[in-house]
Amino acid sequence: MSRPIRVATSPERAQPHRWYALALLCTTLFLIILDSSIVIVAIPSIDGDLALSADGAQWVVSAYAVTFGGLLLLGGRAADRLGRRRVFMWGVAVFALSSLGCGLAPSGELLVVARMFQGAGAAMMAPSALSIVMATFVEAAERNRALGFWGATGGIGGTTGALVGGPITQGPGWPWIFFLNVPVCVALLALSPVLLREHHERGRGGSFGAPAAATVTMAAMLLVYAVVQVPVHGWTGPRTWPALVAVAVLGVVFWRAESRSADPLIPPRLARSPALIGGSLVTVAIGMMVFGGVAFTLTLYAQNVLGYSASAFGLMSSINAVMAIVGSTVGQRAVTRCGPGRVAVVSLLITALACAHLTRIDADGTFLTDLLPALLIFGAGLGAGTVAGTIAALSEVEERHSGVASGISTAAFQLGGALGVALISSAAVWRTGRAPAGTMLEDALTDGYRFGFMVAVAIALVTLPLAHILLRPARTTSPSRRNP
């Protein structure tokens, strides 16, 4: 029988330098999320140097998502069992070495392999870092503030890829979007023993749940693989539907293994938590809209129709990141007062309103009339929504299971992003292909992008009632009412 971890109830006693530790951990998350999107801007330059095939170009982007999303639960389990700081530092080391390998890669194939190792390192870093945040901040108001900063960092990282990647690619060159990770990771490794305490399940034996972990990891990787194939091959393509069938089969196998295990990978209480399910659904929806809508479709509209360069649009869209900071600041305070459920619902309404504005874009549009209002509104909803989703997902989690729960929460954003790109881009391509003969290319593309944003609105509106039901105030437990 496991012994509960004793954690000091005074935040000062628990961690005197906790805010510096939070800054270190949020820097880690920013690096992880940024590397999901920054490479998109550099693809043309990478293609020019390494002569990528069409599939190779896609896999430079998606190889990271496949391993990151697929290995997150296993990374969270390892953090709970082996020690969160230890797993975090191993992940940082893997991320640094693989980033160096990405920048030095002499061919597209080796770049894809290095990106897979980079995703594996991120899968070790993200859940262990978030579980350290949970263990470091034990008082309710401070924990909400910390999770607010964490959620805001993820949202900002998802919106600044073009802003950072464009100037780097056009300046020192695309390898430097990877090389710059290395000194940051060295600093993280040097500061981690000073600022971070070790946390793990002392006194608990048991296995890692290897069969269940392998099954769910394979299922998650196949799911990410399937959704990243959709824009190119469609839902019924030979690379898509067999992977989806395999995901369903592995899901059944995982459920049967978990139900029979004395030490399941996902504890039954965690799997039945309305707060974890509801918070993860909100995070999935936000990830779908930010990656599939703003980071992908809106960038294509700005470059292919309005004619902006990647750097110019990245600079213009920085207002989205600024508003995400504002939204997260307001959101974490509102969560403390009103609960995460209400903030999540309002955030989904705000993001739906922003995407609804984008359904009116025009081939002759301008940044001020077509894009700026939506970016202002969407950034605020993104910041508040990621904060509310993260706090809700972790509000009922026992400290000893925070690694697995953190893996689920982080995977929700990553898998949501991959699914959002697949759904929204597929909808846009389908609508563009149905344009009448003789339609100008810019008009056909714009009509497709408008339809893609309609899908984004639908995502928000479908998630909204589920969030309202699962995150009702009576069901969401404040961390202050729990004894860590």
Side-chain angles (χ1 to χ4, degrees):
M1 184 174 180
S2 63
R3 278 201 313 266
I5 300 175
R6 296 185 180 274
V7 181
T9 57
S10 168
E12 290 77 15
R13 289 171 56 200
Q15 173 61 288
H17 303 298
R18 59 196 180 282
W19 295 108
Y20 293 108
L22 179 65
L24 182 149
L25 297 170
C26 285
T27 300
T28 302
L29 179 65
F30 180 81
L31 205 64
I32 291 170
I33 301 300
L34 183 67
D35 270 59
S36 299
S37 59
I38 191 174
V39 74
I40 296 174
V41 180
I43 285 297
S45 297
I46 296 174
D47 190 18
D49 288 348
L50 303 183
L52 301 172
S53 64
D55 284 347
Q58 181 187 9
W59 275 104
V60 170
V61 178
S62 56
Y64 181 85
V66 167
T67 50
F68 182 23
L71 295 173
L72 272 167
L73 271 183
L74 191 57
R77 178 76 157 195
D80 284 341
R81 292 299 173 87
L82 298 178
R84 289 156 194 163
R85 187 180 68 182
R86 179 185 301 172
V87 173
F88 171 78
M89 294 181 67
W90 275 106
V92 172
V94 172
F95 194 87
L97 291 174
S98 56
S99 295
L100 184 63
C102 287
L104 296 174
S107 67
E109 292 77 10
L110 289 177
L111 177 58
V112 170
V113 172
R115 285 283 283 171
M116 293 182 71
F117 278 100
Q118 196 180 31
M124 299 168 67
M125 294 159 65
S128 54
L130 182 52
S131 59
I132 291 173
V133 172
M134 292 288 292
T136 301
F137 293 87
V138 297
E139 193 271 326
E142 283 202 342
R143 177 176 287 186
N144 282 352
R145 287 183 63 196
L147 292 177
F149 287 125
W150 176 271
T153 301
I156 295 167
T159 60
T160 55
L163 175 64
V164 177
I168 293 176
T169 301
Q170 294 181 359
W174 67 264
W176 283 92
I177 66 175
F178 301 112
F179 287 153
L180 289 178
N181 292 337
V182 178
V184 177
C185 289
V186 171
L188 293 175
L189 287 173
L191 292 173
S192 292
V194 178
L195 297 178
L196 305 181
R197 289 184 177 179
E198 184 60 280
H199 301 274
H200 57 83
E201 293 183 80
R202 295 187 181 92
R204 178 164 183 161
S207 68
F208 281 91
T215 303
V216 73
T217 300
M218 190 178 300
M221 293 177 71
L222 282 173
L223 178 60
V224 176
Y225 172 82
V227 297
V228 299
Q229 298 302 314
V230 172
V232 177
H233 301 284
W235 288 102
T236 59
R239 295 189 181 185
T240 307
W241 72 263
L244 293 174
V245 171
V247 170
V249 172
L250 289 170
V252 173
V253 172
F254 173 73
W255 177 78
R256 290 177 62 87
E258 286 285 275
S259 63
R260 296 176 179 178
S261 174
D263 187 20
L265 179 65
I266 303 178
R269 183 175 179 180
L270 206 61
R272 293 191 297 265
S273 169
L276 178 61
I277 297 171
S280 298
L281 283 176
V282 171
T283 305
V284 166
I286 295 292
M288 292 176 75
M289 288 185 286
V290 68
F291 282 104
V294 173
F296 191 81
T297 306
L298 193 60
T299 301
L300 292 178
Y301 167 69
Q303 295 185 45
N304 294 341
V305 178
L306 300 185
Y308 291 113
S309 67
S311 297
F313 178 68
L315 182 61
M316 293 175 181
S317 62
S318 62
I319 188 64
N320 195 37
V322 172
M323 291 306 298
I325 297 174
V326 175
S328 64
T329 302
V330 175
Q332 65 90 7
R333 293 177 180 174
V335 165
T336 302
R337 296 180 180 180
C338 309
R342 294 175 181 174
V343 177
V345 168
V346 172
S347 301
L348 290 170
L349 285 172
I350 292 173
T351 53
L353 180 62
C355 293
H357 177 82
L358 292 171
T359 62
R360 304 171 59 190
I361 56 175
D362 189 79
D364 298 320
T366 65
F367 176 78
L368 289 177
T369 59
D370 291 73
L371 304 186
L372 181 58
L375 291 173
L376 287 169
I377 300 170
F378 188 88
L382 164 67
T386 51
V387 167
T390 302
I391 293 177
L394 301 176
S395 61
E396 295 182 351
V397 176
E398 297 178 19
E399 197 275 340
R400 64 195 180 99
H401 296 314
S402 60
V404 173
S406 300
I408 294 172
S409 179
T410 309
F413 190 71
Q414 188 69 21
L415 295 174
L419 185 59
V421 171
L423 285 174
I424 296 174
S425 64
S426 295
V429 169
W430 175 82
R431 185 60 172 257
T432 299
R434 293 175 65 87
T439 304
M440 295 290 292
L441 177 60
E442 290 80 3
D443 292 328
L445 288 173
T446 301
D447 188 49
Y449 299 146
R450 281 196 295 258
F451 188 72
F453 289 118
M454 291 180 189
V455 174
V457 173
I459 291 170
L461 295 181
V462 168
T463 309
L464 196 150
L466 298 175
H468 175 69
I469 294 171
L470 292 168
L471 300 179
R472 289 193 298 247
R475 287 182 175 241
T476 305
T477 303
S478 171
S480 62
R481 297 178 183 175
R482 302 185 63 84
N483 185 11

